[in-house]
Amino acid sequence: MNDDTPNSWEARADASSFYGFTDLPTVNERGSTVLTHGKGPYVFDVHGRQYLDANSGLWNMVAGFDHSGLAQAAKDQFDRFPGYHSLFGRQSDQTVMLSEKLVEVSPFERGKVFYTNSGSEANDTMVKMLWFLHGAEGNTTKRKIITRKNAYHGVTAVAASMTGKPYNSVFGLPLDGFLHLTCPHYWREGRDGETEAEFTQRLAQELEDMIASEGPDTIAGFFAEPVLGAGGVITPPVGYFQAIQAVLKKYGIPMISDEVITGFGRTGSLWGCQAYDFMPDAIISSKNLTAGYFPMGAILLGPALSDRLQDAADAIEEFPHGFTASGHPVGCAIALKSIDIIMNEGLIENVNEMSPRFWDHMNRLAQNPNIGEARGIGLMGALEAVQDKATKTPFAGDLSISEAIANTCTDHGLICRPLGQAIVLCPPFILNNAQMDEMFDKLETSLNKVFAKFA
Ligand SMILES: *Cc1c(COP(=O)(O)O)cnc(C)c1O
């Protein structure tokens, strides 16, 4: 459908790009999409076609694609001081202000911040921090990391090992010592007759059994997304984090909340751990941190971990880790503005105002005989396609049902993401009523077309 003449943007993209996380048969069949600009929640391609981006880019463009305040903050900082690191005892004033702000808005009463360029690097760094910490405290065997199947923590070798997706086997990953618990998805993983509370208890018991069989003195830490994002917007079963955290506390295992998606308002609360009422030992932030206007990740260390890590670093006079662009002044200036916009210019309020309408639409579409489950929280949701609703039987894999739905949506000017057999929606926080209705109208039309063909 896109222009495939030799000099088209699409042909040039195909010839010059080695695509990541891209379904290559779909690109071969349909061509790639080359975008030029955005406006509010919309993006535009080289042919001037307009798409409502129901995925906020990749969860992150929460203030939309043309926020003048964010662009201005970047321009001002580029003029003032366009780049610096935060190592060797030097950092920009913007970096100091952002660290103070992050501690202030975090759920922690005090703490410290460390910067990276991405969410993957932040998780990778957090694992190194735990290894460093336990080693310094004489617990050199505490090396193993526990996460969940279907979790997404990124793509560097360590973050990919934490990620619980089967595709990582093509890299010979996970590395040794990365352990994955059952995905906390009640609808799919709950057993016949098992209540949600019993499911939670079973998962907490599984964690305790894993700790016992691996040896409590071999576990470095536990990482979890409050809501699994790239796993398909999976919200935890009732009481999950309370039950899991009781086990972790019993064995003194640090708990890290990966809030790369849930941080800064996506659930309607500022932090996902607040939405689910638990207090982690550290928080991983990225994506929304800069509203997608700059690549940046941050680790927010709570009081206990920041004290213990500081002691460990003091003992050898250094924490020997850091990135060239850690705490980049332009990224920090943008993040400060982004936090201000989210908290003080009504973005998080809009998430809470728009959520009821979002869930009315989601629950309406869930009545479709080929939608097995509508799940999520705030402005993040997924609709799970099923061949048979009663038995929860998925469509045959070779139908690539969610790709078919997403491609049909694209034809109608709506970008949404297929994940497994689910369709994910996570629109920008600036969405208004008319845009919300447009999003669901286009999705419903596409669902009906595809189900009429395959179901
Ligand atoms: C996107 C994501 C990451 C990885 O962030 P990158 O910036 O892509 O490296 C890590 N954790 C979660 C929960 C994410 O959604």
Side-chain angles (χ1 to χ4, degrees), residues 59 118-121 123 152-155 225 230 258 260-261 286-287:
W59 310 90
S118 68
S120 302
E121 290 170 342
N123 279 312
Y152 185 81
H153 297 291
V155 294
E225 305 156 80
D258 182 345
V260 170
I261 287 174
S286 189
K287 293 198 169 99

Side-chain angles (χ1 to χ4, degrees), residues 1 111 125 136 203 315 317 326 416 451:
M1 59 162 274
T125 296
L203 297 193
E317 302 186 345
S326 288
C416 57
F451 290 149

Side-chain angles (χ1 to χ4, degrees), residues 5-17 19:
T5 53
N7 263 326
S8 68
W9 281 103
E10 291 82 359
R12 288 165 60 190
D14 286 350
S16 58
S17 310
Y19 293 125

Side-chain angles (χ1 to χ4, degrees), residues 62 101-108 226 257-277 283-286 288-289 300 335 338-345 347-349 351-352 377-378 380 429:
V62 295
K101 178 55 82 176
L102 285 172
V103 172
E104 180 198 320
V105 304
S106 78
F108 305 127
S257 190
D258 182 345
E259 305 240 8
V260 170
I261 287 174
T262 53
F264 294 108
R266 176 59 73 185
T267 64
S269 302
L270 192 60
W271 300 102
C273 60
Q274 292 167 332
Y276 293 103
D277 199 22
I283 287 176
I284 307 297
S285 180
S286 189
N288 310 353
L289 173 61
L300 282 58
S338 162
I339 294 169
D340 187 42
I341 291 168
I342 290 171
M343 296 183 71
N344 305 322
E345 285 183 24
L347 252 66
I348 198 162
E349 275 95 343
V351 172
N352 287 306
I377 179 175
M380 61 190 299
F429 298 174

